[in-house]
Amino acid sequence: MTMHSRTMSSGSTTGVRSLAALAKTCSTSRVLNLNATHKAALRATEKLHTPLFQDQLLNCAIITKHRPRPNEIECFHENVPVATKIIFPIDNLDLRVGGRSVFVNQIGYLNALCDFFGKDPIALDADLTVLELLNELPSLDPFLVREQLKHHNFSPSDDYFAVTPSGTARLEKFAYNEIRELFTLAFQSWAEAGGELVKRMSNAILATNADHRLAPLQTTLGLEGEQFQRGIYSWRGFLYYNWQFQETKPEL
């Protein structure tokens, strides 16, 4: 089993255009552009504190959620409506050159990766686990990816999940307004005077971990550790995707 190359090689004009276009794409719900993150770190003359993968080639790859075309269905033992595709650029600095690709869990997937990296499965164990976790997700949205990895004790650099500073500010403002409405329902007239408390709570909910700042809320709700973690994760998810919907609504 070898890597696919025809759809992303210089011999396919359409493939080259699609791959080159990804050079301008950061992480989205469909694309996890590790290549762009790697190049951004190089331009900043600094290394990523915690790479997503242990293998350097994987850290320069482009991972996409891809709907298999008719000629690609035969790559799998069963019907796969959406596959996770790993694209390895031939030249990391010039994506117009094209690249090779492989689907996670396609027929001969493990042998293809081992041959490509020149490593045995044991040496790739941690990276294979991360790829499987990405494959389980319905999309590659940065929020989902970060939470999925964190839940399985993987904590790569925040560079992979970066939201622009202006986007972060808008998200924080949105979360503040949502939490303030909750306070208004609970405490009515007092809520307006508790602006600083609302801000502290919204910031704590958006934090990566449900830390000690939310301990009083956990006690009030009477939830155990794992239940509370999942509850805050879900709440954070609702806030994040509601904010994304509001951001997209004008364009729709």
Side-chain angles (χ1 to χ4, degrees):
M1 179 68 197
T2 58
M3 295 277 187
H4 292 287
S5 60
R6 63 181 184 275
T7 59
M8 291 293 175
S9 69
S10 57
S12 171
T13 306
T14 303
V16 171
R17 280 204 300 265
S18 63
L19 182 56
L22 292 178
K24 301 178 182 179
T25 302
C26 294
S27 296
T28 66
S29 61
R30 194 180 71 86
V31 179
L32 182 58
N33 194 339
L34 307 181
N35 184 274
T37 304
H38 175 74
K39 287 194 288 189
L42 289 179
R43 287 194 297 271
T45 65
E46 61 184 27
K47 292 183 178 180
L48 293 167
H49 298 298
T50 310
L52 182 59
F53 294 103
Q54 295 181 7
D55 186 90
Q56 182 60 34
L57 288 175
L58 267 174
N59 279 315
C60 296
I62 298 172
I63 300 175
T64 70
K65 287 295 181 179
H66 173 84
R67 188 179 298 278
R69 301 182 179 93
N71 65 310
E72 295 170 332
I73 295 176
E74 62 186 23
C75 295
F76 302 91
H77 287 293
E78 56 187 16
N79 181 42
V80 178
V82 178
T84 305
K85 189 175 189 178
I86 313 167
I87 304 170
F88 298 96
I90 294 174
D91 184 341
N92 289 326
L93 300 179
D94 187 0
L95 297 188
R96 292 173 300 177
V97 177
R100 287 171 285 187
S101 65
V102 65
F103 293 110
V104 174
N105 291 338
Q106 71 173 63
I107 299 171
Y109 157 70
L110 184 57
N111 289 335
L113 283 185
C114 289
D115 290 344
F116 184 70
F117 296 133
K119 298 178 179 179
D120 59 46
I122 296 178
L124 290 172
D125 186 58
D127 287 346
L128 291 173
T129 299
V130 172
L131 286 172
E132 189 58 43
L133 292 174
L134 296 178
N135 190 53
E136 291 175 359
L137 294 172
S139 83
L140 294 172
D141 183 277
F143 173 81
L144 277 183
V145 172
R146 184 177 65 179
E147 295 294 333
Q148 167 85 324
L149 295 176
K150 184 181 69 175
H151 184 69
H152 291 84
N153 300 315
F154 289 98
S155 300
S157 295
D158 288 339
D159 303 70
Y160 295 109
F161 321 110
V163 177
T164 63
S166 60
T168 300
R170 293 196 303 273
L171 173 58
E172 289 175 349
K173 182 179 179 180
F174 177 83
Y176 174 87
N177 289 331
E178 291 288 300
I179 301 301
R180 185 177 62 181
E181 288 188 22
L182 180 62
F183 266 69
T184 301
L185 287 172
F187 304 108
Q188 298 182 359
S189 61
W190 178 84
E192 289 299 325
E196 182 59 32
L197 191 59
V198 173
K199 183 177 180 180
R200 284 166 52 193
M201 183 172 180
S202 62
N203 288 342
I205 291 172
L206 290 179
T208 303
N209 297 304
D211 56 23
H212 65 279
R213 290 176 292 177
L214 293 174
L217 179 61
Q218 179 178 355
T219 301
T220 301
L221 297 176
L223 295 176
E224 299 297 330
E226 181 64 19
Q227 288 179 314
F228 183 68
Q229 291 283 346
R230 290 184 178 182
I232 293 299
Y233 164 69
S234 299
W235 195 354
R236 193 183 304 132
F238 281 123
L239 286 171
Y240 178 84
Y241 284 111
N242 197 3
W243 167 69
Q244 285 227 318
F245 173 70
Q246 297 301 328
E247 291 268 299
T248 309
K249 199 173 181 179
E251 298 179 18
L252 295 175

PDB file of all heavy atoms in Angstrom, residues 112-135:
ATOM      1  N   ALA A 112       1.150   1.960   5.210  1.00  0.00           N
ATOM      2  CA  ALA A 112       1.498   3.128   4.404  1.00  0.00           C
ATOM      3  C   ALA A 112       2.233   4.166   5.239  1.00  0.00           C
ATOM      4  O   ALA A 112       3.250   4.724   4.813  1.00  0.00           O
ATOM      5  CB  ALA A 112       0.240   3.734   3.784  1.00  0.00           C
ATOM      6  N   LEU A 113       1.730   4.424   6.468  1.00  0.00           N
ATOM      7  CA  LEU A 113       2.389   5.404   7.333  1.00  0.00           C
ATOM      8  C   LEU A 113       3.766   4.923   7.772  1.00  0.00           C
ATOM      9  O   LEU A 113       4.730   5.696   7.783  1.00  0.00           O
ATOM     10  CB  LEU A 113       1.518   5.683   8.558  1.00  0.00           C
ATOM     11  CG  LEU A 113       0.301   6.592   8.362  1.00  0.00           C
ATOM     12  CD1 LEU A 113      -0.370   6.861   9.709  1.00  0.00           C
ATOM     13  CD2 LEU A 113       0.678   7.907   7.706  1.00  0.00           C
ATOM     14  N   CYS A 114       3.861   3.659   8.150  1.00  0.00           N
ATOM     15  CA  CYS A 114       5.150   3.121   8.601  1.00  0.00           C
ATOM     16  C   CYS A 114       6.189   3.192   7.483  1.00  0.00           C
ATOM     17  O   CYS A 114       7.353   3.543   7.713  1.00  0.00           O
ATOM     18  CB  CYS A 114       4.978   1.682   9.083  1.00  0.00           C
ATOM     19  SG  CYS A 114       4.069   1.538  10.647  1.00  0.00           S
ATOM     20  N   ASP A 115       5.782   2.869   6.261  1.00  0.00           N
ATOM     21  CA  ASP A 115       6.698   2.953   5.126  1.00  0.00           C
ATOM     22  C   ASP A 115       7.100   4.395   4.856  1.00  0.00           C
ATOM     23  O   ASP A 115       8.268   4.692   4.570  1.00  0.00           O
ATOM     24  CB  ASP A 115       6.049   2.354   3.867  1.00  0.00           C
ATOM     25  CG  ASP A 115       5.900   0.844   3.950  1.00  0.00           C
ATOM     26  OD1 ASP A 115       6.555   0.232   4.816  1.00  0.00           O
ATOM     27  OD2 ASP A 115       5.109   0.287   3.167  1.00  0.00           O
ATOM     28  N   PHE A 116       6.139   5.291   4.946  1.00  0.00           N
ATOM     29  CA  PHE A 116       6.401   6.692   4.639  1.00  0.00           C
ATOM     30  C   PHE A 116       7.359   7.312   5.653  1.00  0.00           C
ATOM     31  O   PHE A 116       8.276   8.053   5.293  1.00  0.00           O
ATOM     32  CB  PHE A 116       5.088   7.466   4.611  1.00  0.00           C
ATOM     33  CG  PHE A 116       5.229   8.911   4.213  1.00  0.00           C
ATOM     34  CD1 PHE A 116       5.555   9.263   2.920  1.00  0.00           C
ATOM     35  CD2 PHE A 116       5.019   9.921   5.137  1.00  0.00           C
ATOM     36  CE1 PHE A 116       5.683  10.594   2.549  1.00  0.00           C
ATOM     37  CE2 PHE A 116       5.146  11.249   4.785  1.00  0.00           C
ATOM     38  CZ  PHE A 116       5.475  11.590   3.484  1.00  0.00           C
ATOM     39  N   PHE A 117       7.153   7.001   6.943  1.00  0.00           N
ATOM     40  CA  PHE A 117       7.984   7.579   7.991  1.00  0.00           C
ATOM     41  C   PHE A 117       9.252   6.773   8.248  1.00  0.00           C
ATOM     42  O   PHE A 117      10.169   7.264   8.913  1.00  0.00           O
ATOM     43  CB  PHE A 117       7.198   7.688   9.305  1.00  0.00           C
ATOM     44  CG  PHE A 117       6.022   8.612   9.237  1.00  0.00           C
ATOM     45  CD1 PHE A 117       4.788   8.227   9.733  1.00  0.00           C
ATOM     46  CD2 PHE A 117       6.134   9.869   8.681  1.00  0.00           C
ATOM     47  CE1 PHE A 117       3.705   9.067   9.680  1.00  0.00           C
ATOM     48  CE2 PHE A 117       5.051  10.729   8.608  1.00  0.00           C
ATOM     49  CZ  PHE A 117       3.832  10.327   9.111  1.00  0.00           C
ATOM     50  N   GLY A 118       9.284   5.540   7.761  1.00  0.00           N
ATOM     51  CA  GLY A 118      10.424   4.675   8.048  1.00  0.00           C
ATOM     52  C   GLY A 118      10.487   4.287   9.510  1.00  0.00           C
ATOM     53  O   GLY A 118      11.569   4.144  10.083  1.00  0.00           O
ATOM     54  N   LYS A 119       9.309   4.098  10.131  1.00  0.00           N
ATOM     55  CA  LYS A 119       9.240   3.755  11.545  1.00  0.00           C
ATOM     56  C   LYS A 119       8.295   2.579  11.737  1.00  0.00           C
ATOM     57  O   LYS A 119       7.441   2.317  10.893  1.00  0.00           O
ATOM     58  CB  LYS A 119       8.737   4.943  12.378  1.00  0.00           C
ATOM     59  CG  LYS A 119       9.632   6.170  12.329  1.00  0.00           C
ATOM     60  CD  LYS A 119       9.022   7.300  13.150  1.00  0.00           C
ATOM     61  CE  LYS A 119       9.912   8.533  13.133  1.00  0.00           C
ATOM     62  NZ  LYS A 119       9.314   9.662  13.906  1.00  0.00           N
ATOM     63  N   ASP A 120       8.451   1.871  12.877  1.00  0.00           N
ATOM     64  CA  ASP A 120       7.528   0.772  13.159  1.00  0.00           C
ATOM     65  C   ASP A 120       6.334   1.312  13.944  1.00  0.00           C
ATOM     66  O   ASP A 120       6.370   2.434  14.463  1.00  0.00           O
ATOM     67  CB  ASP A 120       8.232  -0.349  13.937  1.00  0.00           C
ATOM     68  CG  ASP A 120       8.813   0.121  15.262  1.00  0.00           C
ATOM     69  OD1 ASP A 120       8.104   0.827  16.010  1.00  0.00           O
ATOM     70  OD2 ASP A 120       9.986  -0.192  15.544  1.00  0.00           O
ATOM     71  N   PRO A 121       5.244   0.546  14.038  1.00  0.00           N
ATOM     72  CA  PRO A 121       4.021   1.019  14.703  1.00  0.00           C
ATOM     73  C   PRO A 121       4.237   1.455  16.149  1.00  0.00           C
ATOM     74  O   PRO A 121       3.574   2.387  16.615  1.00  0.00           O
ATOM     75  CB  PRO A 121       3.092  -0.196  14.623  1.00  0.00           C
ATOM     76  CG  PRO A 121       3.570  -0.963  13.440  1.00  0.00           C
ATOM     77  CD  PRO A 121       5.062  -0.785  13.429  1.00  0.00           C
ATOM     78  N   ILE A 122       5.161   0.795  16.854  1.00  0.00           N
ATOM     79  CA  ILE A 122       5.384   1.151  18.264  1.00  0.00           C
ATOM     80  C   ILE A 122       5.903   2.582  18.376  1.00  0.00           C
ATOM     81  O   ILE A 122       5.484   3.348  19.248  1.00  0.00           O
ATOM     82  CB  ILE A 122       6.374   0.158  18.917  1.00  0.00           C
ATOM     83  CG1 ILE A 122       5.778  -1.246  18.940  1.00  0.00           C
ATOM     84  CG2 ILE A 122       6.737   0.617  20.327  1.00  0.00           C
ATOM     85  CD1 ILE A 122       6.691  -2.300  19.507  1.00  0.00           C
ATOM     86  N   ALA A 123       6.815   2.956  17.464  1.00  0.00           N
ATOM     87  CA  ALA A 123       7.375   4.303  17.489  1.00  0.00           C
ATOM     88  C   ALA A 123       6.333   5.361  17.144  1.00  0.00           C
ATOM     89  O   ALA A 123       6.470   6.527  17.520  1.00  0.00           O
ATOM     90  CB  ALA A 123       8.553   4.397  16.520  1.00  0.00           C
ATOM     91  N   LEU A 124       5.286   4.951  16.434  1.00  0.00           N
ATOM     92  CA  LEU A 124       4.232   5.886  16.018  1.00  0.00           C
ATOM     93  C   LEU A 124       3.000   5.818  16.921  1.00  0.00           C
ATOM     94  O   LEU A 124       1.989   6.457  16.623  1.00  0.00           O
ATOM     95  CB  LEU A 124       3.805   5.583  14.576  1.00  0.00           C
ATOM     96  CG  LEU A 124       4.807   5.897  13.468  1.00  0.00           C
ATOM     97  CD1 LEU A 124       4.307   5.359  12.132  1.00  0.00           C
ATOM     98  CD2 LEU A 124       5.047   7.399  13.377  1.00  0.00           C
ATOM     99  N   ASP A 125       3.084   5.067  17.992  1.00  0.00           N
ATOM    100  CA  ASP A 125       1.906   4.782  18.811  1.00  0.00           C
ATOM    101  C   ASP A 125       1.172   6.044  19.264  1.00  0.00           C
ATOM    102  O   ASP A 125      -0.043   6.162  19.096  1.00  0.00           O
ATOM    103  CB  ASP A 125       2.316   3.947  20.030  1.00  0.00           C
ATOM    104  CG  ASP A 125       1.107   3.501  20.835  1.00  0.00           C
ATOM    105  OD1 ASP A 125       0.239   2.830  20.261  1.00  0.00           O
ATOM    106  OD2 ASP A 125       1.019   3.857  22.022  1.00  0.00           O
ATOM    107  N   ALA A 126       1.876   7.017  19.845  1.00  0.00           N
ATOM    108  CA  ALA A 126       1.235   8.231  20.348  1.00  0.00           C
ATOM    109  C   ALA A 126       0.596   9.027  19.206  1.00  0.00           C
ATOM    110  O   ALA A 126      -0.531   9.516  19.329  1.00  0.00           O
ATOM    111  CB  ALA A 126       2.247   9.098  21.093  1.00  0.00           C
ATOM    112  N   ASP A 127       1.307   9.131  18.083  1.00  0.00           N
ATOM    113  CA  ASP A 127       0.781   9.883  16.939  1.00  0.00           C
ATOM    114  C   ASP A 127      -0.431   9.191  16.329  1.00  0.00           C
ATOM    115  O   ASP A 127      -1.392   9.844  15.909  1.00  0.00           O
ATOM    116  CB  ASP A 127       1.869  10.050  15.873  1.00  0.00           C
ATOM    117  CG  ASP A 127       2.926  11.061  16.283  1.00  0.00           C
ATOM    118  OD1 ASP A 127       2.686  11.820  17.242  1.00  0.00           O
ATOM    119  OD2 ASP A 127       3.994  11.103  15.648  1.00  0.00           O
ATOM    120  N   LEU A 128      -0.410   7.870  16.293  1.00  0.00           N
ATOM    121  CA  LEU A 128      -1.559   7.126  15.778  1.00  0.00           C
ATOM    122  C   LEU A 128      -2.789   7.332  16.662  1.00  0.00           C
ATOM    123  O   LEU A 128      -3.918   7.410  16.167  1.00  0.00           O
ATOM    124  CB  LEU A 128      -1.226   5.637  15.681  1.00  0.00           C
ATOM    125  CG  LEU A 128      -0.202   5.241  14.601  1.00  0.00           C
ATOM    126  CD1 LEU A 128       0.167   3.767  14.740  1.00  0.00           C
ATOM    127  CD2 LEU A 128      -0.742   5.521  13.211  1.00  0.00           C
ATOM    128  N   THR A 129      -2.559   7.443  17.966  1.00  0.00           N
ATOM    129  CA  THR A 129      -3.660   7.693  18.894  1.00  0.00           C
ATOM    130  C   THR A 129      -4.291   9.052  18.621  1.00  0.00           C
ATOM    131  O   THR A 129      -5.519   9.194  18.596  1.00  0.00           O
ATOM    132  CB  THR A 129      -3.170   7.633  20.354  1.00  0.00           C
ATOM    133  OG1 THR A 129      -2.645   6.325  20.626  1.00  0.00           O
ATOM    134  CG2 THR A 129      -4.298   7.940  21.330  1.00  0.00           C
ATOM    135  N   VAL A 130      -3.444  10.079  18.411  1.00  0.00           N
ATOM    136  CA  VAL A 130      -3.956  11.421  18.120  1.00  0.00           C
ATOM    137  C   VAL A 130      -4.744  11.426  16.812  1.00  0.00           C
ATOM    138  O   VAL A 130      -5.822  12.017  16.719  1.00  0.00           O
ATOM    139  CB  VAL A 130      -2.796  12.445  18.060  1.00  0.00           C
ATOM    140  CG1 VAL A 130      -3.305  13.795  17.568  1.00  0.00           C
ATOM    141  CG2 VAL A 130      -2.148  12.601  19.426  1.00  0.00           C
ATOM    142  N   LEU A 131      -4.228  10.732  15.797  1.00  0.00           N
ATOM    143  CA  LEU A 131      -4.931  10.663  14.518  1.00  0.00           C
ATOM    144  C   LEU A 131      -6.291   9.980  14.676  1.00  0.00           C
ATOM    145  O   LEU A 131      -7.278  10.390  14.060  1.00  0.00           O
ATOM    146  CB  LEU A 131      -4.078   9.909  13.493  1.00  0.00           C
ATOM    147  CG  LEU A 131      -2.868  10.660  12.937  1.00  0.00           C
ATOM    148  CD1 LEU A 131      -1.999   9.732  12.098  1.00  0.00           C
ATOM    149  CD2 LEU A 131      -3.315  11.862  12.101  1.00  0.00           C
ATOM    150  N   GLU A 132      -6.346   8.956  15.502  1.00  0.00           N
ATOM    151  CA  GLU A 132      -7.617   8.258  15.736  1.00  0.00           C
ATOM    152  C   GLU A 132      -8.609   9.169  16.458  1.00  0.00           C
ATOM    153  O   GLU A 132      -9.804   9.160  16.164  1.00  0.00           O
ATOM    154  CB  GLU A 132      -7.378   6.987  16.549  1.00  0.00           C
ATOM    155  CG  GLU A 132      -8.591   6.081  16.654  1.00  0.00           C
ATOM    156  CD  GLU A 132      -9.115   5.627  15.293  1.00  0.00           C
ATOM    157  OE1 GLU A 132      -8.286   5.276  14.419  1.00  0.00           O
ATOM    158  OE2 GLU A 132     -10.345   5.657  15.098  1.00  0.00           O
ATOM    159  N   LEU A 133      -8.105   9.976  17.402  1.00  0.00           N
ATOM    160  CA  LEU A 133      -8.976  10.918  18.109  1.00  0.00           C
ATOM    161  C   LEU A 133      -9.533  11.973  17.154  1.00  0.00           C
ATOM    162  O   LEU A 133     -10.705  12.356  17.252  1.00  0.00           O
ATOM    163  CB  LEU A 133      -8.197  11.596  19.245  1.00  0.00           C
ATOM    164  CG  LEU A 133      -7.790  10.702  20.423  1.00  0.00           C
ATOM    165  CD1 LEU A 133      -6.904  11.464  21.397  1.00  0.00           C
ATOM    166  CD2 LEU A 133      -9.017  10.151  21.136  1.00  0.00           C
ATOM    167  N   LEU A 134      -8.709  12.429  16.221  1.00  0.00           N
ATOM    168  CA  LEU A 134      -9.173  13.389  15.223  1.00  0.00           C
ATOM    169  C   LEU A 134     -10.195  12.745  14.290  1.00  0.00           C
ATOM    170  O   LEU A 134     -11.171  13.381  13.882  1.00  0.00           O
ATOM    171  CB  LEU A 134      -7.988  13.922  14.407  1.00  0.00           C
ATOM    172  CG  LEU A 134      -6.938  14.738  15.168  1.00  0.00           C
ATOM    173  CD1 LEU A 134      -5.821  15.153  14.227  1.00  0.00           C
ATOM    174  CD2 LEU A 134      -7.558  15.965  15.824  1.00  0.00           C
ATOM    175  N   ASN A 135      -9.973  11.479  13.986  1.00  0.00           N
ATOM    176  CA  ASN A 135     -10.873  10.769  13.083  1.00  0.00           C
ATOM    177  C   ASN A 135     -12.253  10.560  13.714  1.00  0.00           C
ATOM    178  O   ASN A 135     -13.260  10.497  13.011  1.00  0.00           O
ATOM    179  CB  ASN A 135     -10.261   9.412  12.706  1.00  0.00           C
ATOM    180  CG  ASN A 135     -11.024   8.722  11.596  1.00  0.00           C
ATOM    181  OD1 ASN A 135     -11.264   9.299  10.536  1.00  0.00           O
ATOM    182  ND2 ASN A 135     -11.411   7.480  11.816  1.00  0.00           N
TER     183      ASN A 135
END
